[in-house]
Amino acid sequence: MTTTSASDDLDRWIRNDFVALNTRLEEAYFAADAQILHGRPELETVKRRIGSEGAELVGRITESGAPRSLPTGDDERYELLGSVGFYLGACRRHEIEGPQSAAWPLAQLLGSSLGVVPRFVFAHQVLYNRAVGDTFRTFTALDDERAFLLYNGLSMLAYQRTAAALRRVPALGVSSPLTAYLLREARSGLDDVLDLGRTLSKTLDVDRFFLNIRPYFKAHRVGGVEYRGVNGGDFAAINSIDVLLGLCSPYDPFYQALLTEKYPYLPPEDQALLRATGTAEPLLDAFVREATAGPITPQLRDNAELFLTVCRLHGAASAFHHHRLVVPFLQAPAARAPQEQGQGQESEAADLTTSGPPLHVVMGTLARLVDLRTARQRPGTDGGGSARPSLDRLRYALDAAPRSGLRTDDRSTDDRSTDDRS
Ligand code: HEM
């Protein structure tokens, strides 16, 4: 048996029997309104099948000659790490102990060959998840899981489109007519993020998410090391946008810690993009510099108005994520949920989130990100790190300068209010 056919067998199992087995367990948990059930013989049989069938299939890959014959392409190895990771994630979710250790050496080898953590991350679920017969890999056959991955994945693509446009602006300068095109592209990407978030919030069932989807994202061990769980923020574009706009600073220790922590959880190509974050002048600084030096030409004015709209949309999307997704889909059900078996209050709270800290700490971090992205200065603080003073300076410079001539492009002056978006 070659590594390729052994990998294909694992892939086929992940896409078929694995999905059916997980779905059976999830339906039983959901019917009992429980996060997990123990001691029901028919369910224990299903859990044992997941543990042993997965271990056998991964074992065949290891026996068939890895590391000599692991796929040479980074993409194939990353995909294989995703398949092994799906298996390990399901074992953690159903609290299957024992057989999954057979998959640790392969996960570690794949992770170290790629420079990433040896577990599945959100990118494996959405951005590096090849569809076969219209269907991408999922843990279950539940419609809610598919919708969660679909709208999350589309939002990530929209953020990536926005970041790709913004990365090109420094080379053109903030008064270029080409920059207007790129800023419109960024605006359109963030409009999509907001629309997709709204669709997700209306489509996803709170209990299904809480009981049947979230538990697959938990932290788990690979070998002697515990790796934190899946985090929807593990991609570089969101940070490129933060820093390029000038709403977050890579010199801010709070923000720096987030970047450092997430680095090994990113796919390899995103790691390179994250390393480049902070190497260009923030657009806000460039706009302030040129607008205060004057004169404010028609193109500079149009670009600056568009830029302010992009900043407002980025803040609105972040506020939406916090108030319309995290609060109703995680914080509210967590407050209602009984403690998971065998866990103390603090570890339960940590288990609800994916990054390790208790829920209130994660909520505090997310709230601070919302403040930075909306440039909100909290009352009673010195507003350290907030872009508000620079945004106000730019707005003042635009309002104070006389308008000269016609606007360069009607489409670029659209300054839609985003008040209703958060
Ligand atoms: C039901 C839907 C969602 C829930 C409950 C949710 C929950 C969370 C939680 C709890 C975190 C913090 C993770 C931790 O540190 O433990 C987080 C982070 C993050 N999520 Fe979501 N999320 C949802 C949908 C989305 C969507 C659609 C996106 C768009 C791409 C997204 C983007 C992010 C980002 C970028 C972060 C990293 C923190 C930041 O930079 O803002 N999430 N999410």
Side-chain angles (χ1 to χ4, degrees):
M1 164 121 24
T2 64
T3 310
T4 310
S5 68
S7 304
D8 291 345
D9 289 345
L10 174 65
D11 185 70
R12 210 169 301 114
W13 179 73
I14 290 285
R15 291 173 192 272
N16 294 285
D17 289 6
F18 175 78
V19 170
L21 295 169
N22 283 320
T23 308
R24 224 165 115 198
L25 291 172
E26 295 306 336
E27 291 297 17
Y29 302 159
F30 193 76
D33 195 21
Q35 298 182 37
I36 189 162
L37 293 169
H38 291 291
R40 295 240 307 248
E42 75 285 11
L43 300 185
E44 294 307 316
T45 307
V46 176
K47 291 182 199 172
R48 268 197 301 279
R49 271 193 65 190
I50 294 176
S52 60
E53 289 178 19
E56 201 213 315
L57 287 161
V58 176
R60 274 196 234 156
I61 299 174
T62 316
E63 284 157 21
S64 64
R68 285 186 308 283
S69 52
L70 277 184
T72 47
D74 284 3
D75 288 352
E76 284 98 331
R77 270 179 290 125
Y78 200 64
E79 186 176 354
L80 180 56
L81 177 60
S83 293
V84 178
F86 268 65
Y87 165 63
L88 290 174
C91 288
R92 171 66 185 92
R93 188 271 173 273
H94 302 299
E95 299 177 12
I96 298 164
E97 288 291 346
Q100 80 276 26
S101 60
W104 290 344
L106 180 60
Q108 273 167 328
L109 186 61
L110 289 166
S112 58
S113 80
L114 292 157
V116 301
V117 288
R119 61 157 294 149
F120 88 98
V121 296
F122 204 50
H124 286 116
Q125 288 197 284
V126 293
L127 297 180
Y128 296 82
N129 191 347
R130 197 166 37 88
V132 173
D134 295 359
T135 308
F136 50 74
R137 287 176 303 185
T138 51
F139 285 99
T140 70
L142 298 174
D143 289 343
D144 286 277
E145 186 188 350
R146 186 177 182 283
F148 177 71
L149 297 181
L150 177 64
Y151 295 118
N152 240 300
L154 290 171
S155 302
M156 284 165 91
L157 291 178
Y159 270 132
Q160 288 184 334
R161 184 154 74 87
T162 302
L166 294 177
R167 283 189 199 107
R168 307 200 69 151
V169 173
L172 293 165
V174 291
S175 65
S176 167
L178 278 72
T179 291
Y181 177 85
L182 293 170
L183 290 171
R184 281 198 298 274
E185 175 76 353
R187 182 184 66 192
S188 153
L190 292 173
D191 271 335
D192 282 359
V193 171
L194 274 157
D195 285 346
L196 289 159
R198 281 196 208 96
T199 307
L200 178 62
S201 73
K202 282 187 220 140
T203 312
L204 193 62
D205 181 86
V206 172
D207 293 333
R208 280 288 185 192
F209 176 76
F210 194 76
L211 293 175
N212 299 139
I213 299 168
R214 168 200 67 86
Y216 289 95
F217 300 163
K218 290 179 179 187
H220 69 68
R221 225 153 43 85
V222 179
V225 181
E226 172 100 351
Y227 292 91
R228 66 120 163 113
V230 169
N231 182 330
D234 288 338
F235 62 112
I238 184 84
N239 306 105
S240 301
I241 298 168
D242 288 341
V243 174
L244 268 167
L245 289 178
L247 298 173
C248 300
S249 164
Y251 295 102
D252 170 2
F254 161 78
Y255 195 75
Q256 238 168 23
L258 295 184
L259 300 187
T260 310
E261 193 281 331
K262 71 158 60 171
Y263 187 80
Y265 290 83
L266 301 187
E269 66 177 318
D270 272 39
Q271 292 184 349
L273 292 170
L274 197 69
R275 282 200 300 275
T277 303
T279 52
E281 182 188 25
L283 302 186
L284 178 55
D285 293 3
F287 273 113
V288 169
R289 185 167 37 72
E290 295 204 15
T292 50
I296 297 184
T297 58
Q299 188 70 61
L300 179 62
R301 176 181 293 282
D302 282 353
N303 288 359
E305 296 286 359
L306 253 177
F307 168 76
L308 290 172
T309 300
V310 170
C311 289
R312 273 197 296 279
L313 284 171
H314 189 49
S318 179
F320 189 94
H321 174 263
H322 193 82
H323 298 292
R324 303 288 174 84
L325 294 174
V326 182
V327 170
F329 287 94
L330 186 64
Q331 194 184 33
R336 295 192 296 268
Q339 272 181 232
E340 280 175 14
Q341 293 182 11
Q343 298 193 326
Q345 192 70 49
E346 197 67 347
S347 58
E348 157 61 4
D351 214 28
L352 286 168
T353 64
T354 58
S355 55
L359 184 56
H360 72 271
V361 175
V362 170
M363 295 306 290
T365 300
L366 292 175
R368 185 144 176 209
L369 282 168
V370 175
D371 283 348
L372 289 171
R373 291 176 183 143
T374 53
R376 175 173 175 263
Q377 285 178 311
R378 283 192 193 205
T381 69
D382 65 358
S386 172
R388 177 52 52 202
S390 296
L391 287 168
D392 288 346
R393 259 209 314 284
L394 177 58
R395 170 51 59 207
Y396 179 79
L398 293 174
D399 290 347
R403 283 173 190 272
S404 56
L406 287 173
R407 285 178 178 270
T408 53
D409 182 344
D410 283 342
R411 285 172 303 167
S412 68
T413 59
D414 179 356
D415 188 14
R416 282 167 287 179
S417 162
T418 56
D419 290 352
D420 64 332
R421 292 168 194 259
S422 57

